[in-house]
Amino acid sequence: MDLAPWLLDFINNYGVLALFFTSFIAATIVPASSSAILLAALAAGAQPIPALISCSLGNSLGCAANYWIGRLIGRPLIPKMRKSKNGRKAIRYVRKYGTYSLYLAWAPFVGDPITIAAGVFRINFLKFSIIVYSFRIVGYIIVAAFFV
């Protein structure tokens, strides 16, 4: 894995807590790959099931945080999102496809902005949770299955 040595040390020293924290942060607009973090942890000897659970919980809660930030701040976020290519795509997808845009929330680059736009445009949180969390968790299972 090509992760920073300090990140690998953090994961090795704090285990599932580190995976939870880094997966939460990676679900926000911070450019990090929680899948790469999961793979690094597995390569370092982490137990697959606790690692999957920790990454899934952290990433799902990070997605929920994005949603609620979008919902609470609302439309004033749109000009800021329009400053990035992925933000513009997210706004366009959520406006055009509504709830169906959430099926892309797992995708790299555009997925996290979609979770924010879903909050801005007030997509139903229960539908958001079911779709976004399911796809994120299945993604982790697929990544781990290729490693194990």
Side-chain angles (χ1 to χ4, degrees):
M1 289 274 88
D2 194 26
L3 293 176
W6 66 268
L7 182 57
L8 287 174
D9 287 342
F10 182 65
I11 291 169
N12 285 330
N13 291 331
Y14 296 99
V16 293
L17 183 61
L19 290 174
F20 175 87
F21 179 72
T22 54
S23 293
F24 179 92
I25 296 298
T28 66
I29 57 173
V30 173
S33 170
S34 57
S35 295
I37 292 165
L38 173 61
L39 284 174
L42 293 173
Q47 293 296 314
I49 299 300
L52 279 168
I53 292 169
S54 184
C55 285
S56 296
L57 287 173
N59 201 260
S60 295
L61 288 174
C63 290
N66 286 347
Y67 175 91
W68 288 106
I69 288 169
R71 186 156 179 134
L72 294 172
I73 296 174
R75 302 240 182 225
L77 279 176
I78 293 174
K80 181 152 180 74
M81 291 179 71
R82 283 193 175 132
K83 290 181 181 178
S84 77
K85 178 182 173 184
N86 296 321
R88 287 188 300 273
K89 282 183 183 179
I91 291 167
R92 187 173 61 244
Y93 293 159
V94 174
R95 278 190 169 152
K96 185 172 183 177
Y97 301 110
T99 302
Y100 296 107
S101 66
L102 298 175
Y103 291 103
L104 291 175
W106 62 269
F109 307 112
V110 75
D112 295 331
I114 284 175
T115 61
I116 296 169
V120 170
F121 294 108
R122 300 186 175 272
I123 288 179
N124 178 282
F125 186 68
L126 180 60
K127 291 177 183 177
F128 171 90
S129 299
I130 291 168
I131 295 168
V132 172
Y133 303 167
S134 297
F135 273 75
R136 296 277 175 130
I137 293 166
V138 168
Y140 284 132
I141 291 169
I142 292 168
V143 166
F146 280 108
F147 181 82
V148 176

